[in-house]
Structure formats: C-alpha cells, structure tokens
Amino acid sequence: MDGNHVCTLSFNVLINQGDKGLDHARRIKLAKKKCPIVANYVEVAEWLEMALRGAWQLQKLIVSYCDWGGSSRGIRAFMESNLPAFKENNPQLEVVTELIRGQHPHLKGLYKNKNQRVVCVKNLTQDDILLHATRLRNALGRKVVKLKTRHVTKHPSVQGTWTTDLKFEA
C-alpha cells in the first residue's frame, strides 16, 4: 500500500466516521496535519458545502417526473441509482418524489426562508441531474438580485469610476 492510499484512508476515517468527541472543523484540521496530500481536497470540499450559520438552508427537495415520457428517462435512471445515496448522504434533507404525467421533469427546492427554486432537468443524464440536485442543496435560497452597475462598492471614488475610454487632452 503506497503512502497516498494510506493517507486517503485515514482521511476518510477521520472525516466520514470521525471521533465522536471531535467536531467537524477539528477533524478536518487533524486530517490536514496527518495527510498534507488531501489538504487541497479538504479546502475544496469545505468551500463546496454551503450552509448559513451552520444550518443547511434547503429543507425539501421535490423530484417530479413522468413514468412514460422520453424526456424523463434520465431522471428515472437518477431515481434508481443516485437518489438513494443522495438521501443517505443528506439526512437533513426531506426528499420527495412526485409523479406528474405528461409534464417535463424538474427538481424543486424549498428553502427555510420560504423561497423556492425550480430547475428543469428535461433530457439530462443522471450525472447532470445529480449535479443540479447538489447545487440546489448547496444554494442559500436567496433571490438573485440584478445589479444596477457593474462596479459595486460601499465607498465610491470621489474622482469617479475608472474606465478604459479615458482621454487626456494636452
């Protein structure tokens, strides 16, 4: 067994099963010290998991599909292969399947702040649907705000915003 494999195994034991006395942040620090190879992976994994003040914002995920239509082929495969593991990995999340005949499939996320997001998964593969479900889980559920300007700051410049079209007269 090479060093990378042993390091990865110890990382999985520390992070997934873990010590009951250690919280998640301390387990990650311990894993980084024992295994510097996976330190970058841990930082990426920490960044990808989004929660607000330590609480997941997605409360309920509704998977809507048609049992007959061709556009639901990918979501039916997702429900057979990936959905049980997704439910197991996310115990904080209520996952409901909904049969809607004659409609295109979609994922609907209901968040704690009473917002919802709907993602159409028509004709997508099961891997793409898993990606969309994970993105819904990681999202904070906030509405998308259109910015009035490209340059956003709390302290605007007295001299004005810098542009490339600036012309000096001599």
Side-chain angles (χ1 to χ4, degrees):
M1 214 183 259
D2 63 336
N4 293 349
H5 191 67
V6 171
C7 191
T8 307
L9 286 176
S10 66
F11 167 74
N12 286 336
V13 169
L14 280 170
I15 298 303
N16 295 334
Q17 287 86 29
D19 225 351
K20 299 300 178 195
L22 294 177
D23 62 344
H24 188 69
R26 288 188 180 170
R27 282 186 283 176
I28 287 176
K29 279 186 180 178
L30 188 62
K32 284 182 181 180
K33 283 181 185 176
K34 286 190 172 186
C35 185
I37 295 168
V38 296
N40 292 336
Y41 170 75
V42 171
E43 289 170 7
V44 169
E46 284 178 43
W47 180 74
L48 289 176
E49 293 181 0
M50 295 288 287
L52 186 65
R53 295 181 191 93
W56 290 100
Q57 296 302 300
L58 183 64
Q59 285 184 324
K60 188 175 188 179
L61 180 69
I62 301 172
V63 181
S64 301
Y65 69 101
C66 175
D67 60 347
W68 178 78
S71 64
S72 294
R73 185 179 301 123
I75 201 158
R76 289 192 300 264
F78 167 76
M79 288 171 46
E80 288 176 7
S81 61
N82 297 354
L83 191 62
F86 187 77
K87 281 183 183 180
E88 187 179 313
N89 292 337
N90 300 293
Q92 80 284 357
L93 183 61
E94 179 186 353
V95 180
V96 178
T97 58
E98 178 182 53
L99 176 65
I100 49 167
R101 293 193 171 184
Q103 301 291 322
H104 290 301
H106 62 272
L107 300 173
K108 184 187 290 187
L110 304 173
Y111 294 90
K112 285 186 179 180
N113 59 1
K114 308 292 188 246
N115 285 340
Q116 66 180 9
R117 287 190 181 179
V118 180
V119 178
C120 180
V121 290
K122 173 177 75 170
N123 295 325
L124 294 181
T125 64
Q126 58 187 359
D127 296 331
D128 293 338
I129 295 171
L130 179 62
L131 179 68
H132 282 294
T134 307
R135 284 182 179 164
L136 282 175
R137 182 204 63 189
N138 292 344
L140 295 177
R142 296 179 177 158
K143 293 288 184 185
V144 178
V145 178
K146 185 177 179 183
L147 301 176
K148 293 177 183 163
T149 62
R150 288 188 291 162
H151 181 73
V152 179
T153 180
K154 289 183 180 178
H155 307 288
S157 173
V158 177
Q159 299 173 348
T161 308
W162 183 84
T163 63
T164 57
D165 298 334
L166 194 61
K167 295 180 182 177
F168 294 105
E169 295 182 19

